[in-house]
Amino acid sequence: MTHAVENSKDGKFESIDHFLDVVGRRDFQDDTGFKCQQVTNAKRRKVFPSDWFWAVRAFCQRRGFEVPEHLFKGYVAPEAEVAPSSEDAA
């Protein structure tokens, strides 16, 4: 069963802060092994380091959350998520 993502658009986490509020920062840190300072740095940068992907994915899957791929450094949005350019609109 997938948990509802509260206060989000399109069922996605809007930010790392939102993700941590919903999943629980302490649970996230305890389960993944990331230290408080590491998580604080990710929040400050507003992006998870790309090498955290597999640990975050496993955490989310164990708890029934959607994996917030869009919150990782180096994430490239699928074409459907990319806003049309001004040339496309013309």
Side-chain angles (χ1 to χ4, degrees):
M1 175 194 286
T2 301
H3 297 283
V5 179
E6 302 165 5
N7 301 321
S8 67
K9 300 173 189 169
D10 303 325
K12 286 188 174 182
F13 295 103
E14 295 175 356
S15 65
I16 290 178
D17 287 325
H18 182 221
F19 173 79
L20 293 171
D21 285 345
V22 173
V23 305
R25 179 178 173 148
R26 184 171 299 276
D27 288 340
F28 176 75
Q29 289 175 190
D30 290 346
D31 188 285
T32 60
F34 299 130
K35 301 201 181 325
C36 181
Q37 188 62 44
Q38 291 174 296
V39 175
T40 298
N41 288 339
K43 285 179 61 172
R44 187 176 308 125
R45 293 180 181 117
K46 302 184 185 312
V47 66
F48 287 127
S50 58
D51 61 340
W52 286 20
F53 179 77
W54 295 109
V56 174
R57 180 178 181 258
F59 171 85
C60 289
Q61 288 179 333
R62 283 191 294 274
R63 288 170 170 74
F65 291 107
E66 291 293 321
V67 181
E69 294 177 8
H70 61 288
L71 297 179
F72 284 88
K73 183 175 183 176
Y75 173 77
V76 177
E79 211 170 296
E81 291 182 24
V82 177
S85 68
S86 58
E87 292 177 5
D88 291 341

